[in-house]
Amino acid sequence: MTSEKKSDESNLVVDDSILSPPAQKQTLWSSFKDSFKPAIETDHTLKTNYDPVDVEKLTDLEKINLNSANSSLRRDLKARHLQMISIGSSIGTGLFVGTGTALNTGGPGAIMIAWVVTATAVFATMQGLGELATTFPISGGFNVYASRFIEPAVGFAVGWNYFMQFFVLLPLELVAAAITIQYWNSSINSDVFVIIFWLVITFITMLGVKAYGEAEFIFSTIKVLAVIGFIILGIVLIAGGGPTHEFVGGKYWRNPGPFASGFKGVASCIVTAAFSYGGTEMIGLTASETSNVRKALPRAIKQVFWRIVLFYFGSLTMISCLVPYNDKRLLGSSSVDASASAFTIAIINGGIKGLPSVINAVILISVLSVGNASVYATSRSLNSLAEQGMAPKWMGYVDRAGRPLVAIGLTNAFGLFALIAADDDAQESAFDWLLALSGLSSIFTWMSINLSHIRFRAALKAQGRTTDELPFVAQSGVLGSYYGLILNILFLIAQFWIALFPLGSDPSAYNFFLSYLGFPVILVSWIGYKIWKRNLKLYLKADEIDIDTGRANVDLELLQQQLAEEKAELAEKPFYYRVYRFWC
């Protein structure tokens, strides 16, 4: 009997190998076609508290937690991608051109105060986001955190507002790129360049998240090198090493002076600074597509500090010393006009010729980078909203290449709206109002991150858990999130004041709503979701918040052992290295 049974088992093995011949190698074309098919369900590495059989019995919030934890997005982003995304995500026209407008509005003292104050809020907010994203590397990032740690209506309002912010940004950046090209050749119809740049961005975004990471790595590297080069050049010019050999020092701080419009000028600059840092939070969207979240994401989050210190403060210091705030070239120029850039004016004042073309090229790269990033942000946000049941399910279609295909297609299709805007001045007004719908989106997003982190820590405490089980703990702690939340509320108040009583002009209902329309829009979104779901609950209690679903599936004892070994190894390093690793 035993030998017969063994023989049967042996035959079964042989038969199985015969019936399952090796799969034929796919051709390049067939592989390309198959990549557009629905994603194949795999064994996910994220914790879930729910039995698949009981999914239909779950509440809306439980489904949100479960679906966002089991996304089909691919983890193809590497540490170097995240570090460059974190460094270059908000280095764009806000820095290269927007700082010139702020300098003219507030003066050198105002821009330094504004960017320093805003930087502290951004740093604290990103630390809280780093803790959440490393612990919960789930699809959708911060809008899902708002849903699960505050309550779903907040996640709905923040998610759709964030989607709209970047959805409108793509055609705007395409128009900006076309206008930038006209600096060299204005004889060609701008629609030609809109189509060219649209095709480039569409091609990159359709290649998948790895292509996005590589493109941003290249774009950010160029922007970083340009900023570093400008800072070095600025130091030389200030010290009198330029062609004019004039020692500049701090003469423009003395005349015309440090402040152009007093406290109101500082408040106006704070509003500009808050918008210029928009995009730093995008690193939170990458968590679900990062290959080694525990090590890569905290390093990328810490890079925000270095970017703020080196790139923004270094550039602003050079500008404040090299360009007087009453320079007429700073007034009323296009948002993508290199001649209006304080960078360009500083170089021209130093007696150097030819570099405006270089600055314009960097501005062009910046707008393409923002256009590329906007497709990433909108597609991942829309995919997340669909997973949460806050958007039609078909909008969350993910193919075998890990691309949220429908969301990418919708975003790129809307990009062609740039063809209308490029030729019709009336359409600029339409663009302004579309942007106004989500004009305060970055601030609302930061506030939701602050509040989500505060509620997460409250849930840990209420459920008898500690931060010892977290792979990364925010350096600023929960107090940092309180600090960030308070500052962001003050930013909203400052924006309200400036919108109601604009600097240098009379109050206007048109300009007020253009600046502050985002607030009633997000309020209506929140109320609308409440009515739709017939749920009047304002917040989730700490003891009912789910702090397990979607967590990285790690052995806590092994994690604590690894962290202890890393700390012991770090303690043996020189002091300067320990300081470097603390911040970076």
Side-chain angles (χ1 to χ4, degrees):
M1 285 289 293
T2 304
S3 60
E4 186 177 339
K5 185 177 181 180
K6 286 182 179 179
S7 177
D8 289 341
E9 289 178 351
S10 176
N11 289 336
L12 281 173
V13 172
V14 172
D15 290 343
D16 184 60
S17 65
I18 294 172
L19 293 172
S20 304
Q24 293 183 354
K25 188 176 181 180
Q26 284 189 314
T27 63
L28 187 62
W29 172 246
S30 61
S31 178
F32 174 73
K33 285 195 305 180
D34 288 347
S35 72
F36 292 94
K37 294 179 179 179
I40 300 173
E41 294 295 327
T42 58
D43 181 24
H44 298 288
T45 59
L46 298 173
K47 289 183 179 179
T48 174
N49 298 330
Y50 310 116
D51 188 325
V53 177
D54 298 325
V55 167
E56 293 303 320
K57 301 177 183 177
L58 301 179
T59 65
D60 287 341
L61 181 57
E62 289 170 338
K63 288 179 181 178
I64 287 172
N65 295 339
L66 183 62
N67 291 336
S68 61
N70 292 283
S71 175
S72 298
L73 300 176
R74 294 177 62 170
R75 297 181 176 273
D76 286 339
L77 289 177
K78 308 298 182 185
R80 63 185 180 88
H81 296 144
L82 293 192
Q83 288 174 22
M84 292 310 292
I85 289 171
S86 70
I87 290 172
S89 58
S90 66
I91 296 179
T93 52
L95 175 63
F96 292 118
V97 179
T99 48
T101 304
L103 176 63
N104 176 256
T105 301
I111 63 172
M112 295 304 296
I113 292 171
W115 262 265
V116 167
V117 170
T118 311
T120 60
V122 173
F123 177 76
T125 301
M126 292 304 104
Q127 285 290 314
L129 176 60
E131 181 174 305
L132 291 174
T134 308
T135 307
F136 302 94
I138 56 180
S139 170
F142 34 79
N143 70 71
V144 177
Y145 301 147
S147 294
R148 70 184 297 169
F149 299 126
I150 308 172
E151 60 98 18
V154 176
F156 176 85
V158 169
W160 274 109
N161 210 243
Y162 194 78
F163 165 81
M164 182 60 69
Q165 175 189 358
F166 284 95
F167 189 65
V168 177
L169 199 57
L170 175 60
L172 189 67
E173 294 300 317
L174 289 172
V175 173
I179 294 173
T180 306
I181 286 291
Q182 290 182 349
Y183 178 83
W184 294 287
N185 190 333
S186 59
S187 62
I188 303 176
N189 190 311
S190 59
D191 282 352
V192 174
F193 295 108
V194 167
I195 289 292
I196 291 172
F197 294 132
W198 181 81
L199 289 173
V200 169
I201 291 174
T202 299
F203 177 73
I204 293 172
T205 54
M206 287 302 295
L207 289 178
V209 69
K210 191 172 183 180
Y212 162 72
E214 293 293 347
E216 280 304 295
F217 182 84
I218 295 170
F219 290 151
S220 295
T221 300
I222 295 171
K223 289 188 288 186
V224 165
L225 291 175
V227 172
I228 292 174
F230 174 76
I231 292 172
I232 294 171
L233 177 62
I235 294 171
V236 172
L237 293 177
I238 291 170
T244 62
H245 299 292
E246 177 191 2
F247 176 76
V248 178
K251 75 173 187 177
Y252 294 131
W253 281 75
R254 295 187 296 272
N255 182 24
F259 298 101
S261 306
F263 179 73
K264 196 168 187 178
V266 175
S268 179
C269 287
I270 284 178
V271 170
T272 304
F275 289 119
S276 76
Y277 285 124
T280 52
E281 73 289 329
M282 198 179 295
I283 194 72
L285 290 176
T286 66
S288 62
E289 297 176 89
T290 302
S291 57
N292 189 347
V293 178
R294 189 180 78 80
K295 291 187 176 181
L297 198 60
R299 291 289 298 273
I301 290 291
K302 290 178 182 181
Q303 292 290 333
V304 172
F305 172 80
W306 289 109
R307 183 189 64 203
I308 290 169
V309 171
L310 178 59
F311 301 135
Y312 273 92
F313 294 164
S315 300
L316 291 170
T317 301
M318 299 305 109
I319 288 168
S320 67
C321 290
L322 292 169
V323 183
Y325 71 72
N326 58 359
D327 192 308
K328 296 187 184 302
R329 288 169 293 182
L330 294 171
L331 294 172
S333 296
S334 165
S335 62
V336 290
D337 186 356
S339 64
S341 169
F343 284 67
T344 302
I345 295 171
I347 293 168
I348 293 173
N349 286 352
I352 299 175
K353 299 178 181 179
L355 280 183
S357 288
V358 176
I359 295 297
N360 221 39
V362 174
I363 291 174
L364 175 62
I365 290 169
S366 297
V367 296
L368 288 175
S369 173
V370 174
N372 184 41
S374 68
V375 178
Y376 180 83
T378 52
S379 60
R380 271 56 183 183
S381 296
L382 187 57
N383 174 69
S384 171
L385 289 166
E387 288 177 343
Q388 296 180 71
M390 298 174 178
K393 188 175 181 180
W394 56 270
M395 289 185 176
Y397 179 88
V398 178
D399 64 16
R400 292 185 182 179
R403 298 169 296 205
L405 205 58
V406 173
I408 291 174
L410 287 173
T411 308
N412 283 329
F414 186 73
L416 291 175
F417 188 65
L419 293 173
I420 303 172
D423 290 329
D424 190 347
D425 291 338
Q427 294 300 327
E428 290 186 18
S429 178
F431 257 126
D432 288 342
W433 284 108
L434 284 172
L435 284 170
L437 292 174
S438 57
L440 301 174
S441 179
S442 290
I443 296 177
F444 287 131
T445 299
W446 296 345
M447 289 175 65
S448 75
I449 293 170
N450 297 142
L451 196 52
S452 294
H453 185 230
I454 291 169
R455 297 302 298 157
F456 170 61
R457 286 294 190 92
L460 278 180
K461 184 177 180 180
Q463 297 177 35
R465 313 276 280 273
T466 69
T467 56
D468 292 338
E469 63 186 60
L470 305 181
F472 171 72
V473 178
Q475 293 170 305
S476 55
V478 71
L479 290 179
S481 290
Y482 277 109
Y483 173 77
L485 180 62
I486 292 169
L487 274 189
N488 281 309
I489 292 173
L490 292 177
F491 294 161
L492 284 179
I493 295 172
Q495 173 71 350
F496 180 83
W497 182 36
I498 298 300
L500 194 59
F501 303 104
L503 196 63
S505 61
D506 296 327
S508 162
Y510 178 89
N511 290 327
F512 173 78
F513 283 106
L514 204 59
S515 300
Y516 221 73
L517 183 61
F519 184 80
V521 166
I522 202 163
L523 190 62
V524 168
S525 300
W526 179 76
I527 294 173
Y529 187 85
K530 287 290 184 186
I531 295 172
W532 175 31
K533 292 296 182 179
R534 298 179 182 178
N535 182 359
L536 299 180
K537 194 171 189 177
L538 295 179
Y539 66 95
L540 299 172
K541 294 181 180 178
D543 58 359
E544 65 182 1
I545 292 175
D546 181 356
I547 56 175
D548 286 311
T549 301
R551 292 186 66 164
N553 190 17
V554 294
D555 185 322
L556 292 181
E557 291 185 4
L558 178 61
L559 172 63
Q560 291 173 357
Q561 181 182 346
Q562 289 175 343
L563 292 175
E565 291 174 355
E566 290 173 4
K567 287 181 180 178
E569 183 180 350
L570 187 61
E572 298 176 358
K573 300 292 183 180
F575 175 74
Y576 68 86
Y577 183 80
R578 295 200 303 272
V579 172
Y580 167 76
R581 285 302 303 269
F582 177 81
W583 291 112
C584 198

